[in-house]
Amino acid sequence: MKSDIKSERLAKEGKLKIEWARNFMPVLSLIRDRFKKEKPLKGIRVGCCLHVTSETANLVITLKAAGAKVNLCASNPLSTQDDVAASLVEDYEISVFAVKGEDNKRYYRHISSILDTRPHITMDDGADLVSAIHKKRENLAKEVIAGTEETTTGVIRLKSLEKKKLLLIPMFAVNDAQTKHLFDNRYGTGQSTIDGIIRATNVLLSGTKFVVCGYGWCGRGVAMRARGMGANVIVCEIDPIKALEAVMDGYQVMPINEAAKIGDIFVTTTGDINVIDKQNFLKMKDGVIVANAGHFDVEINLKALKVLSKSRKAIRGYIAQYTLKNGRRINVLAEGRLINLAAAEGHPASVMDMSFANQALTCEYIKKNADKLKIKVYKIPEIIDKNIARLKLKSLGVKIDKLTKKQREYLSSWQLGT
Amino acid sequence: MKSDIKSERLAKEGKLKIEWARNFMPVLSLIRDRFKKEKPLKGIRVGCCLHVTSETANLVITLKAAGAKVNLCASNPLSTQDDVAASLVEDYEISVFAVKGEDNKRYYRHISSILDTRPHITMDDGADLVSAIHKKRENLAKEVIAGTEETTTGVIRLKSLEKKKLLLIPMFAVNDAQTKHLFDNRYGTGQSTIDGIIRATNVLLSGTKFVVCGYGWCGRGVAMRARGMGANVIVCEIDPIKALEAVMDGYQVMPINEAAKIGDIFVTTTGDINVIDKQNFLKMKDGVIVANAGHFDVEINLKALKVLSKSRKAIRGYIAQYTLKNGRRINVLAEGRLINLAAAEGHPASVMDMSFANQALTCEYIKKNADKLKIKVYKIPEIIDKNIARLKLKSLGVKIDKLTKKQREYLSSWQLGT
Amino acid sequence: MKSDIKSERLAKEGKLKIEWARNFMPVLSLIRDRFKKEKPLKGIRVGCCLHVTSETANLVITLKAAGAKVNLCASNPLSTQDDVAASLVEDYEISVFAVKGEDNKRYYRHISSILDTRPHITMDDGADLVSAIHKKRENLAKEVIAGTEETTTGVIRLKSLEKKKLLLIPMFAVNDAQTKHLFDNRYGTGQSTIDGIIRATNVLLSGTKFVVCGYGWCGRGVAMRARGMGANVIVCEIDPIKALEAVMDGYQVMPINEAAKIGDIFVTTTGDINVIDKQNFLKMKDGVIVANAGHFDVEINLKALKVLSKSRKAIRGYIAQYTLKNGRRINVLAEGRLINLAAAEGHPASVMDMSFANQALTCEYIKKNADKLKIKVYKIPEIIDKNIARLKLKSLGVKIDKLTKKQREYLSSWQLGT
Amino acid sequence: MKSDIKSERLAKEGKLKIEWARNFMPVLSLIRDRFKKEKPLKGIRVGCCLHVTSETANLVITLKAAGAKVNLCASNPLSTQDDVAASLVEDYEISVFAVKGEDNKRYYRHISSILDTRPHITMDDGADLVSAIHKKRENLAKEVIAGTEETTTGVIRLKSLEKKKLLLIPMFAVNDAQTKHLFDNRYGTGQSTIDGIIRATNVLLSGTKFVVCGYGWCGRGVAMRARGMGANVIVCEIDPIKALEAVMDGYQVMPINEAAKIGDIFVTTTGDINVIDKQNFLKMKDGVIVANAGHFDVEINLKALKVLSKSRKAIRGYIAQYTLKNGRRINVLAEGRLINLAAAEGHPASVMDMSFANQALTCEYIKKNADKLKIKVYKIPEIIDKNIARLKLKSLGVKIDKLTKKQREYLSSWQLGT
């Protein structure tokens, strides 16, 4: 079994981490128990390009329990937990190609290694694996039954491919499952972004002006938690409906160039580029903190910042302090990469539990329906979605009501009135 | 001009109310100004079955300014503001058939009066008007170009008709516009339900166990505001995904029969029947308060409650106190009808501003596209939706960002990666 | 029995109101039951100058049950509930001198009527009764055993008297009891101020800029609830420590003259004069709403506003719309008087339950300790305070922990360390 | 210069940490600038027993700048940042006796080392230094001008000494300054406790039952922030007034033995012993998390837990997992020591800024008033308190209002009335 990881000797610590995460992933555990008996993925090669964390470990272990042959590489050069990678290789005999802090060249070599295994199913977090197939290894596409995609960003890319009729593979937008994006993007990103910022800086959020760029699910999660920590939140948006929602939620809304003048902390969650740009940096106060919670490290225009700066100094673990020519200092966290994965531990396990339950059940669905799939971007079947919610509630000990026969009838009638 | 209202002499007070509401309806005002010039509804008969409030008044005035012939009846026997009705008749020369507290017979006679005018466009709030056409005046359908529907409840009924292939008229689900349901159902119902309960009871919400049945947009609005007033909120649901969201939002979630034992205040927001039923009443503590914020007065099973009770006593304006045979007292607000309209003034004008801007612009759209419409339930065109949000932000003095060319390109590309 | 009220015929409705309030005043009810047996105030004349509401009714009924002879006048010309006054006279045989909307002359005549009864105990809400004694009826002081004062404002006045050595009577600062000011001023004023503003205007709070002047207990209650309704709250303060707390609580803090430019709604809660003054009105946007939640109607400088205005128009029940010479309109609620009492029903009964339990138990304490009292401003004995909290928890069905013997020992030791 | 630290080689990293913290301590920086010129502590030996963190470093540097001779030891065996200690020794020439994880013997030896320097002023965080003087080095007391105490816990111990007439030294309760306990205990402990729990466990707080024992300033800070992260908070209390406040703030309140059955996460913030005790552990669900945010590690009865357990296993950095004989697992964080200092970085710098500004200015006050001090527990003079708030607001760029002459007059008058 080939692998490329930091060091096998980290396996012991990694194993404890994986087991700790498992405690908070009861839904995935129930699925794994069933998969172990039924082996629904027997003979299937799954190529995964995911953040190599203790939660992901539990997903790939589940896939392996289902009979799949799993190969894993990182979906981000900074997000790998080296000890987890080691344990997967040593304790679970899963091939892993991922080293925290790897350079771009090694990162893409790792993606290649996964493609070399000729996967039947691809699993992406940002669409890098499937993009690589589309860009330079088109011949692999015919062997791929279907792929799954975890993120908003990735789904945007896939839909762009689909629209341009360039898509080669049936794809499942796991991100669009309700048990995924309603929870992971909001509660997961919300908490872990705050966590990442605090770990990196130990700044008191209470009383700060906290600017959130983008009021999608991630953005509103971050805004909600920042307010929950006592910050005075300002939202920047380009969509009028979302902007209006932010206003109605009690936040100040203004263009980024206005927010730049008064903010203490800035977080980008848009999926777009140059959200914080040259003219914004020039407006900022001395000592501000700038971080990104979007998938790619393109949201903060670091190139522009470098041009504006006379010096750059590393402070603490994840802080680079740029001193502008105007004398003001701007503290950029984690080089503008995903702050929650870089400086903290990514989404908590109990949120990933549902996202990855979607991944696991979608793999099973792909295998079962291999013959019927068309080349398009699919939604996750609603039955999978609701089933996961039901399992999660059960694991939390929460009971809910059921419709009575009479109530069901009423809902489907149109004649009953005032 | 025929009308049936309480008394013309109330017109003066009603006029002040209508003008006061207008202050908070800047979007509709902008539309009215344009309609006055362009007369896009010239020659069109619009039959409206809506809550007769000061906000609705501004809508029908806008339609009239557009050249329409407007006739208005109530969509709920308790929600009419008699002074507003009077002013519409006296000051604005619009036919109104609505008297607060009218009995069922008069209510349906008023609906008939509207149908007698042979509307080209129907406008519903709960689908009573369009249901009447489907039930007993099918011959009118051919003259109707299309209808609009304001509520979740009404849209459910229309979709049921559509599914059963019984729909006779193209219908527009105004409720499903984002600038409608995201705002009206959540912020509007949220505030006005709390307002209705406090006006009816003057109860301190802080520290109470506040049970919300249903965690749709209305339910989460009510839950959010009840918490905002210091209540300890409990949510009851039948949908596992919504239930899980309520858990993640920090609420307790449990079946209604458990909540019945500990709740101090109960509010239903489900669109279904018998949400609070016989067995629940029997579990309740002495002195609880029960109210409905759903469209119809079917959510609280009052028939069952009457059977369980040994006496019923009217207290204050909107409270009926039932004393059960077990000695405990249950205070039902507004006979289980919409509490925010019965005991308070319904949604605030600034929320209705957007809902009714959708109504007005959809009427214009129906007229323009009369030839192309099919018999189905339509969504509101996105361009109308975003336009309304933009006008609202403008009226609030809120500026937002625009995508740069480069950002737009990035969003539509698929090749840019890590 | 002499009285001066609006009309005896309102008694029936008033009686229902008093009984409804009683449901939410379990602590006072327990005290009344005991007083009825023990008659601790036998032969005592109590002169009360309080807001004549259904909650106050329950207090004076309790005092009467204790054997006292009670006379009641209003502590504010606008806050009287005429039906409650009628019921007190008709059903409970208590003298009342209070008519909603009475002019200043009648207001002071009513205070005189109370003084004419030569009270042994005075009970004030704003210190008007006791001020009248100090100003012009000093001879009455010698018969007064002691007085109680309900409000922050009143206590400030009493301490000023005490400091200047002009105080003639032992006074008890009921306001300073924890079960009073922590609850009444914060949760009571918080909810009822929001309630008053919504009843008067039906404005949607969500998304408004809501300016709170003063961040004492009342101000933070109002700010907390306004935020809870979705407003974007701005705080104005003169005390640096309170201002800093407001910042840390996530609010914007700025001088009133800055807030004047951007606010949509303004509420004063300071206890001081001219908090919103001439130069502020000139900065305000068109259509703003201005209200007062402080005790006296001096916080908004209406005289200055009148000078600036070219017209004044009554709109709806409690709104006076001033049109400035600059064309902008300012809507003043309830003539700048206490908005929660004028436009709503004052504090909810369950909050007044504790305030008035303090009043009742303090009267008993005064009688018992008549010989020992000195001429000074007293705090409420802690044992009364804690006892009330305990009774309230009991009535809510809430159980709490008790210190074990070992825990008590630990707390009183100093030797135990790291 | 004598010292006992982990390693001088950590100095470089420590220096960066100290400088980073300084950015968030503008008030202390202003004081240091003045002290550098005025040297108000010239010739004074200050013995400090404080958490050795980057914030404390800035305090002792400030004292040294004032001309004092400063010696520092840890106030908790687990809270020392070894790199900061190294930098203080290497870069700032301050004696430090502190090693993270030191055993009890070494801990007390370090306290002795400080006492050996015969301090003029003692500075405590938990009263260990001053207790040592009272227990076994009474002879040192006569040289001590006065001491300061940072914590609630310490102040309780000092007041116990004072009450028993055993106090030997004038002491200043820095904890009781408003700019200390209103901010540090609430906002500081609130955020850093949440931070510590997340760093130790990466648990998702959203949707958990989060039990807070104690609703003092620390407890309400933790409760507020836990709710802000989406948890469903349950409060346990022994004081009826605080319990009632928690109810009114919308939390569930119940005895710990009830909460034990349903909680997912437990935090103690009481200052008392055995708050979570044997019978509570037996009620807990499998997999719960238990942490302490109170000063001493006595709040969770670990001895009792050990007796109940069949095994104990270390998981991740700060988690000890106890498996009870009933099979359920209880995860105790940081051995029951202060979670925010052990697993996170203690209070953020901007909160300590104010606490330590109080410490610095109180030292100056002690020196100036050395002759007048009596042996008692002093409050911090109000002028110091307000001055610090003013400096903090200034550093945040927040402006506030000033009373006009007329407003000041009004507040001090008693004659103005309704």
Side-chain angles (χ1 to χ4, degrees), chain B residues 98-339:
Chain B
V99 176
K100 181 161 190 172
E102 60 196 11
D103 60 17
N104 258 20
K105 207 174 134 194
R106 196 176 188 183
Y107 175 79
Y108 282 108
R109 199 171 65 228
H110 285 160
I111 288 181
S112 272
S113 301
I114 300 298
L115 294 180
D116 294 345
T117 66
R118 297 168 25 234
H120 298 119
I121 296 178
T122 61
M123 202 173 269
D124 253 313
D125 186 296
D128 274 1
L129 197 58
V130 90
S131 291
I133 294 177
H134 284 78
K135 281 189 204 160
K136 40 194 175 183
R137 313 255 316 242
E138 297 202 1
N139 63 310
L140 290 175
K142 63 181 179 301
E143 269 189 288
V144 181
I145 309 170
T148 67
E149 169 54 44
E150 174 82 8
T151 65
T152 313
T153 305
V155 172
I156 288 173
R157 294 171 81 187
L158 294 173
K159 291 202 170 152
S160 161
L161 269 176
E162 184 185 32
K163 210 173 156 190
K164 293 175 178 161
K165 317 229 170 191
L166 297 171
L167 190 66
L168 302 172
I169 301 168
M171 291 297 301
F172 283 79
V174 167
N175 180 70
D176 296 353
Q178 291 199 68
T179 47
K180 201 281 180 180
H181 77 270
L182 285 182
F183 296 88
D184 174 329
N185 296 15
R186 191 163 30 158
Y187 308 109
T189 303
Q191 172 169 315
S192 60
T193 298
I194 297 297
D195 182 19
I197 292 170
I198 294 176
R199 289 202 209 194
T201 64
N202 202 33
V203 71
L204 180 76
L205 297 182
S206 196
T208 57
K209 300 272 180 196
F210 193 107
V211 180
V212 179
C213 299
Y215 202 63
W217 289 115
C218 289
R220 69 190 63 194
V222 174
M224 181 165 70
R225 293 300 170 240
R227 172 188 276 178
M229 296 304 274
N232 187 264
V233 176
I234 295 166
V235 172
C236 302
E237 244 302 337
I238 52 106
D239 179 282
I241 294 175
K242 286 179 186 158
L244 198 49
E245 263 190 286
V247 169
M248 290 292 168
D249 287 340
Y251 301 116
Q252 286 188 80
V253 175
M254 60 183 76
I256 175 65
N257 218 27
E258 292 302 307
K261 294 178 203 165
I262 56 177
D264 297 304
I265 302 172
F266 299 80
V267 179
T268 53
T269 64
T270 70
D272 208 342
I273 54 166
N274 301 343
V275 177
I276 298 186
D277 212 342
K278 189 180 165 186
Q279 70 276 23
N280 311 134
F281 291 124
L282 288 170
K283 295 264 167 57
M284 288 181 180
K285 299 188 295 186
D286 182 39
V288 298
I289 292 166
V290 178
N292 169 44
H295 186 81
F296 292 118
D297 61 348
V298 298
E299 308 212 5
I300 301 167
N301 190 344
L302 283 188
K303 274 183 206 156
L305 180 56
K306 276 167 198 163
V307 171
L308 296 173
S309 299
K310 62 183 180 197
S311 72
R312 180 185 179 284
K313 180 174 154 190
I315 303 197
R316 292 176 54 122
Y318 294 97
I319 306 173
Q321 188 171 77
Y322 291 83
T323 304
L324 301 198
K325 289 163 189 162
N326 66 19
R328 298 200 205 117
R329 292 163 300 169
I330 292 176
N331 298 292
V332 176
L333 305 191
E335 305 173 35
R337 290 182 181 271
L338 263 178
I339 184 66

Side-chain angles (χ1 to χ4, degrees), chain C residues 59-87:
Chain C
L59 169 59
V60 295
I61 292 165
T62 300
L63 298 176
K64 199 187 167 201
K69 173 86 187 67
V70 188
N71 294 282
L72 171 65
C73 71
S75 59
N76 184 303
L78 280 182
S79 64
T80 299
Q81 295 170 353
D82 289 319
D83 49 4
V84 166
S87 175

Side-chain angles (χ1 to χ4, degrees), chain D residues 238-258:
Chain D
I238 52 105
D239 179 283
I241 294 175
K242 286 179 185 159
L244 198 49
E245 263 189 286
V247 169
M248 290 293 168
D249 286 341
Y251 301 116
Q252 287 187 80
V253 175
M254 60 183 76
I256 176 65
N257 218 27
E258 291 303 307

Side-chain angles (χ1 to χ4, degrees), chain A residues 42-306:
Chain A
K42 203 171 174 188
I44 294 291
R45 290 187 300 273
V46 185
C48 304
C49 178
L50 301 168
H51 300 293
V52 180
T53 63
S54 54
E55 293 81 18
T56 295
N58 280 289
L59 170 59
V60 295
I61 291 165
T62 300
L63 298 175
K64 200 189 167 198
K69 173 84 187 67
V70 188
N71 294 282
L72 171 66
C73 71
S75 60
N76 184 303
L78 279 182
S79 64
T80 299
Q81 293 170 353
D82 289 319
D83 49 3
V84 167
S87 174
L88 281 175
V89 172
E90 292 298 299
D91 303 312
Y92 296 97
E93 299 180 7
I94 289 169
S95 291
V96 181
F97 303 84
V99 177
K100 181 161 189 172
E102 60 196 12
D103 59 18
N104 258 20
K105 207 174 135 193
R106 196 177 189 181
Y107 175 78
Y108 282 107
R109 200 171 65 226
H110 285 161
I111 288 182
S112 272
S113 302
I114 299 299
L115 294 180
D116 294 345
T117 66
R118 296 167 27 231
H120 297 118
I121 296 177
T122 61
M123 201 173 270
D124 253 313
D125 187 297
D128 274 2
L129 197 58
V130 90
S131 289
I133 294 177
H134 284 78
K135 281 189 205 161
K136 40 193 174 185
R137 311 249 324 235
E138 297 201 1
N139 62 312
L140 289 174
K142 62 179 181 301
E143 270 190 289
V144 181
I145 307 172
T148 67
E149 169 53 43
E150 175 81 10
T151 65
T152 313
T153 305
V155 172
I156 289 173
R157 294 172 81 187
L158 293 173
K159 290 200 170 154
S160 162
L161 270 175
E162 186 184 30
K163 208 172 158 190
K164 294 176 178 161
K165 317 231 169 190
L166 297 172
L167 190 67
L168 302 172
I169 302 169
M171 291 298 301
F172 284 80
V174 167
N175 180 70
D176 295 352
Q178 292 199 68
T179 46
K180 201 282 180 180
H181 76 270
L182 285 182
F183 297 88
D184 174 329
N185 295 15
R186 191 163 32 159
Y187 308 109
T189 303
Q191 173 169 314
S192 60
T193 297
I194 297 298
D195 182 20
I197 292 169
I198 295 177
R199 288 201 209 195
T201 63
N202 201 35
V203 71
L204 181 77
L205 297 182
S206 197
T208 57
K209 300 272 181 196
F210 193 108
V211 179
V212 179
C213 300
Y215 202 63
W217 289 115
C218 289
R220 68 190 65 193
V222 173
M224 182 165 71
R225 293 300 169 240
R227 172 188 275 176
M229 296 304 274
N232 187 263
V233 175
I234 294 166
V235 171
C236 303
E237 244 303 336
I238 52 105
D239 180 282
I241 294 175
K242 285 179 186 159
L244 198 49
E245 263 190 286
V247 169
M248 290 292 168
D249 287 340
Y251 300 116
Q252 286 187 81
V253 175
M254 61 183 76
I256 176 65
N257 218 27
E258 291 303 306
K261 295 177 203 165
I262 56 177
D264 296 305
I265 302 173
F266 299 79
V267 178
T268 54
T269 64
T270 70
D272 207 341
I273 55 166
N274 301 344
V275 177
I276 299 185
D277 212 341
K278 188 180 164 185
Q279 69 276 24
N280 311 135
F281 291 125
L282 287 170
K283 294 264 168 55
M284 288 180 180
K285 298 188 295 185
D286 181 38
V288 298
I289 292 167
V290 177
N292 170 45
H295 187 80
F296 292 118
D297 61 348
V298 298
E299 309 212 4
I300 302 166
N301 190 345
L302 283 188
K303 273 183 207 156
L305 181 57
K306 276 168 198 162

